[in-house]
Amino acid sequence: MNLTIPRLNLLFLLAWLALLLVTYLNSYDDPSSIFYRESRSYEQRYSRIRAHEADLYLADPPPKQPSPTEEDNKFLCIGIPSINRTTQSFLKHTIGTLVDTLTLEERGGIHLVVLLADRPARKHSAYGEEWLEKVVDEVLVYDDPPAEDEGKVYRKVPFELVEGRERGDGRVENMRLDHSLLVETCMNYGAEYFVLVEDDIVAGRDWFQRLRKGLGYATAMGFGLWLPALIALYFLSGRVSTSRVNPFMWTSHGVREMMNYGCCAQGLLFPKRQLPGVFKLMRYPPYRFPGDMILEGYAGDHGLRKWALDPSVFQHVGFTESSAGPRRAEVWNFSFERMQPKGWLWGS
Ligand SMILES: *[C@@H]1O[C@H](CO)[C@@H](O)[C@H](O)[C@H]1NC(C)=O
């Protein structure tokens, strides 16, 4: 072919248009792009599928496996603090999506604990529900267990936790103390890792495989550098599509080192050896700052490295309830909605 200048121009134009089309199709959910379309990017495509799958699973869950007695089968302990929300409860979908894709063996290595922090506990819509009893290992409540607790999963825990100090009604104080109970429970259980999960997320189908893979990488890196590692599962929101289309940003292990928490981590994972320190931090005053903020300082003071799974394995489906009414949370994981039942549609 004889490439004259007009032909080259035409080729260039076509290539440019093709690139524009790809960018357009690929950037509707990137807030830093001019092609960003808010309504479409907040559409719950994948998370709605996952919620539906959770409902199906919880309608008839398989019988529970006996808890492992040997230490080496205690891989994860998951703690979920929950309070009743006035508009909508997400707890069922959080729990359902965490367990519905696990094999019996994988589920056997996980201890799942929920704290229903309302007082009285029956104010929580999940209290006494059959599905809850069937799928979780422990339900912590601040008052007496329901009469019909056949699975014996409910356990009453003390409300007053710090000697010589009456528990106040501040939001931060109560969140911190609720979290400290879950850290304590999992520390005593003795699992290798503790994961704190908020009660308004849904998990992707492959969250567990991705977590295991990421952990393998992060532990190897941590040991290699002789540094203890504080590992976090974390949300990345915004500035997503640049890393999505940049092949050099792609990793096989799916983990990134984080410089800052930023805010609002919906799921945090800690190795066992960090739990005594994290426990003290959560339990004792001053209660000026929420847990994720003080953890940031803690990690800095102790020279701990933090890692994030990227793309995130959780979506934050909750609403923030403000005086102006409920609205979509600011922490939204755009990439999550691109996941398809069979993997990813575009990019990584
Ligand atoms: C608990 O939450 C549900 C919605 O999830 C709501 O319908 C109910 O009124 C709430 N209960 C209380 C006591 O606030």
Side-chain angles (χ1 to χ4, degrees):
M1 188 163 68
N2 186 7
L3 285 176
T4 59
I5 295 293
R7 267 198 192 150
L8 270 177
N9 277 344
L10 184 66
L11 267 180
F12 178 77
L13 181 69
L14 286 176
W16 190 84
L17 283 174
L19 208 61
L20 187 71
L21 182 69
V22 169
T23 315
Y24 173 73
L25 289 174
N26 202 40
S27 306
Y28 65 87
D29 60 353
D30 179 358
S32 60
S33 159
I34 54 161
F35 297 121
Y36 175 63
R37 284 188 291 147
E38 178 164 332
S39 58
R40 174 129 191 250
S41 65
Y42 280 99
E43 243 173 60
Q44 294 193 19
R45 283 157 291 152
Y46 186 55
S47 40
R48 197 176 307 120
I49 296 175
R50 291 296 293 134
H52 179 64
E53 287 171 351
D55 286 334
L56 292 179
Y57 178 87
L58 292 177
D60 186 22
K64 225 185 302 186
Q65 296 298 99
S67 286
T69 44
E70 283 156 47
E71 286 297 311
D72 55 341
N73 289 333
K74 295 180 176 179
F75 175 52
L76 274 191
C77 182
I78 303 178
I80 309 174
S82 186
I83 46 163
N84 202 55
R85 292 168 195 251
T86 44
T87 43
Q88 197 184 341
S89 174
F90 304 97
L91 180 67
K92 195 170 177 181
H93 292 156
T94 301
I95 294 175
T97 54
L98 281 171
V99 296
D100 74 331
T101 55
L102 301 175
T103 63
L104 284 181
E105 198 191 341
E106 288 166 344
R107 178 65 186 87
I110 298 177
H111 192 68
L112 184 53
V113 190
V114 179
L115 167 68
L116 301 181
D118 292 83
R119 285 199 317 154
R122 72 184 134 75
K123 270 176 71 183
H124 198 296
S125 57
Y127 179 82
E129 289 279 302
E130 206 179 335
W131 64 266
L132 185 66
E133 234 180 84
K134 279 185 176 167
V135 292
V136 307
D137 299 301
E138 272 189 282
V139 181
L140 310 182
V141 283
Y142 287 125
D143 45 27
D144 289 323
E148 66 281 16
D149 176 24
E150 277 164 27
K152 300 271 172 284
V153 292
Y154 284 80
R155 181 157 68 86
K156 183 179 177 172
V157 289
F159 181 69
E160 293 299 343
L161 295 168
V162 181
E163 222 177 272
R165 185 183 196 288
E166 200 176 320
R167 184 161 171 172
D169 54 8
R171 185 178 128 84
V172 170
E173 174 173 349
N174 279 287
M175 264 167 56
R176 289 256 303 270
L177 291 172
D178 289 349
H179 290 186
S180 80
L181 273 169
L182 293 165
V183 180
E184 190 177 26
T185 303
C186 285
M187 192 162 64
N188 294 339
Y189 177 76
E192 227 174 305
Y193 296 98
F194 165 62
V195 193
L196 182 70
V197 177
E198 296 301 329
D199 67 344
D200 60 353
I201 61 112
V202 301
R205 271 193 171 164
D206 59 351
W207 77 269
F208 187 72
Q209 281 78 24
R210 297 233 344 258
L211 170 68
R212 241 193 337 216
K213 199 163 161 189
L215 269 175
Y217 175 79
T219 6
M221 291 298 288
F223 289 152
L225 291 164
W226 296 94
L227 276 173
L230 179 76
I231 307 163
L233 294 166
Y234 178 76
F235 270 75
L236 287 172
S237 63
R239 316 263 173 254
V240 275
S241 51
T242 27
S243 62
R244 224 184 251 154
V245 296
N246 180 349
F248 298 107
M249 297 285 281
W250 190 84
T251 59
S252 61
H253 44 77
V255 180
R256 257 176 238 300
E257 181 153 13
M258 292 162 58
M259 293 310 137
N260 295 305
Y261 276 118
C263 78
C264 340
Q266 260 28 62
L268 291 170
L269 181 144
F270 308 91
K272 188 158 121 180
R273 65 179 177 283
Q274 300 296 349
L275 292 188
V278 172
F279 168 72
K280 273 199 211 121
L281 212 60
M282 293 291 165
R283 170 82 37 113
Y284 298 104
Y287 303 115
R288 273 197 300 272
F289 302 106
D292 50 354
M293 274 176 74
I294 51 173
L295 281 169
E296 175 89 58
Y298 177 83
D301 294 346
H302 292 76
L304 304 175
R305 306 174 78 191
K306 299 160 295 181
W307 303 90
L309 289 180
D310 175 27
S312 172
V313 291
F314 295 159
Q315 176 61 292
H316 186 203
V317 289
F319 294 91
T320 46
E321 284 170 5
S322 65
S323 51
R327 63 189 172 82
R328 179 64 67 206
E330 264 149 38
V331 187
W332 182 251
N333 179 12
F334 296 96
S335 295
F336 188 89
E337 300 303 332
R338 291 177 166 231
M339 277 191 270
Q340 299 293 311
K342 291 255 179 304
W344 290 83
L345 186 56
W346 299 97
S348 57

